[in-house]
Amino acid sequence: MLIVRRFNVNSNKMYLQKNGYYKAGHELGNHSQNHKQMSTISAAECEDEITKVHNKVKKLTGYDMKVFRPPYGDYNDVLIESAEKCGYHAI
């Protein structure tokens, strides 16, 4: 949010649209829709958390994100497999 405040924009959405952050060579990564503890939810929920953000960023930028960092650094085999199924590498 510091970046959002610094550039005086109202949301990450506006920031992506206004500044083309990814066009400057920065990697965009996924961090989930609702910041859930990913090891406690089902594979279907993991996939939903990942794809909702992916689809929004893809619509705004045309960019296909490939990295996913789970909230709290919390992961298990279900998350790893779900991320891979969605075309992501969990980091």
Side-chain angles (χ1 to χ4, degrees):
M1 291 309 274
L2 179 61
I3 291 171
V4 172
R5 285 188 209 112
R6 180 174 173 204
F7 290 99
N8 196 28
V9 294
N10 295 323
S11 69
N12 289 330
K13 176 181 175 183
M14 285 182 62
Y15 185 77
L16 287 172
Q17 290 174 324
K18 184 176 179 179
N19 296 298
Y21 190 67
Y22 72 100
K23 289 181 181 178
H26 299 278
E27 174 133 23
L28 298 180
N30 195 328
H31 192 53
S32 79
Q33 176 71 22
N34 296 301
H35 214 260
K36 292 182 177 180
Q37 192 168 351
M38 303 298 278
S39 69
T40 66
I41 61 177
S42 70
E45 290 173 297
C46 287
E47 292 167 26
D48 190 53
E49 285 289 312
I50 294 168
T51 56
K52 281 183 177 177
V53 173
H54 181 89
N55 293 337
K56 289 176 184 179
V57 172
K58 175 77 173 175
K59 184 177 178 180
L60 286 170
T61 66
Y63 183 79
D64 279 309
M65 296 180 293
K66 299 294 181 195
V67 294
F68 177 76
R69 184 175 71 82
Y72 317 106
D74 180 52
Y75 66 95
N76 60 8
D77 290 342
V78 172
L79 170 68
I80 302 287
E81 292 167 8
S82 297
E84 288 175 355
K85 184 176 177 184
C86 294
Y88 278 81
H89 177 70
I91 56 171

